[in-house]
Amino acid sequence: SLSVIDLKVQDDLTVTDDMTVGGTLGVTGTVTLAGDIDLAGGIDVDGTSNLDIVDIDGAVNIAAATTIATTNKIQFRDTAIHISSPADGDMHIAADDEIDITSTLIDINGAVDMSANLTIAGDIDLAGGIDVDGTSNLDIVDIDGAVDMASTLQVDGAATFDSTINTVGITGPKTNFVGSM
C-alpha cells in the first residue's frame, strides 16, 4: 500500500492490476491502449477525434451538423443503397429497388427532371397549367371549362356532341356530325 500526496514517475509506469482514479485524469501526451475501453459513463471530447471504425449498438444523438467528406456515402445494407453527393450542389439518393417517401406533403422548389415514366395511382390536381411537348394518349378527357385551341383539331373518328355546335369559322363539309348543328 502506497499513500503519498504527489507521486511523480520519471519513466514508464506499469500497472498489472486494476487502477482507479478518484479525480480527474489529466494526460498531456498521447494515450495508447492495446485493449478495449469499457466506459460505464459518458465520454466528452472537446477536440477532434479520428476514429477508424465506430460500432454503435445504441441510439445516436447528433446535436450539430454532420459533414460527409467529398464523395463518401451514407450507406445502408449494401453499396447500392446510399445517400451521397458526387459533386458540389448535387445529392443522390440511390436504391436498387424502391425509394418510399411516406410524407403527407412533398414540397419541391425546383424543376423535376425524369428520365423514366411517371406512374401515379391516384388523382392529379394541378393549380397551374400543363404544357405537353409530345403526343399525349388520353383514354378519357372530361373538360369542365372552356377549350381554347391555338391550332387545328383533328378527329379521326366520329364526333358526338350533346349540345349545339357553333359552326362559324368551320370550313369544309359539315358532315359526320351527330347532334344539333
Side-chain angles (χ1 to χ4, degrees):
S1 174
L2 174 67
S3 177
V4 294
I5 301 297
D6 291 322
L7 175 65
K8 182 175 184 178
V9 178
Q10 290 295 114
D11 203 359
D12 296 339
L13 173 64
T14 302
V15 178
T16 59
D17 202 355
D18 296 339
M19 183 172 120
T20 302
V21 177
T24 301
L25 176 63
V27 178
T28 57
T30 301
V31 175
T32 303
L33 303 170
D36 294 336
I37 299 175
D38 188 3
L39 297 174
I43 184 170
D44 186 3
V45 179
D46 290 331
T48 300
S49 296
N50 185 353
L51 307 172
D52 293 334
I53 297 174
V54 178
D55 184 2
I56 300 171
D57 294 330
V60 176
N61 181 3
I62 299 173
T66 301
T67 301
I68 307 299
T70 323
T71 58
N72 290 336
K73 303 172 182 179
I74 299 174
Q75 183 175 309
F76 307 88
R77 299 180 190 260
D78 59 45
T79 57
I81 305 171
H82 64 269
I83 300 172
S84 64
S85 176
D88 189 27
D90 291 347
M91 178 182 225
H92 289 188
I93 302 174
D96 52 358
D97 186 27
E98 177 179 327
I99 297 173
D100 187 10
I101 300 173
T102 59
S103 176
T104 56
L105 176 65
I106 300 170
D107 187 3
I108 300 174
N109 294 314
V112 176
D113 182 8
M114 301 181 91
S115 59
N117 293 335
L118 172 65
T119 302
I120 298 175
D123 294 338
I124 298 175
D125 186 4
L126 299 174
I130 183 170
D131 185 3
V132 179
D133 290 333
T135 301
S136 295
N137 183 354
L138 307 173
D139 293 335
I140 298 173
V141 178
D142 182 4
I143 301 172
D144 294 331
V147 175
D148 182 9
M149 294 177 27
S151 186
T152 305
L153 171 64
Q154 177 180 336
V155 178
D156 290 333
T160 303
F161 301 94
D162 292 332
S163 62
T164 303
I165 298 175
N166 184 348
T167 60
V168 175
I170 296 178
T171 59
K174 296 174 183 71
T175 60
N176 295 333
F177 284 108
V178 176
S180 303
M181 285 189 55

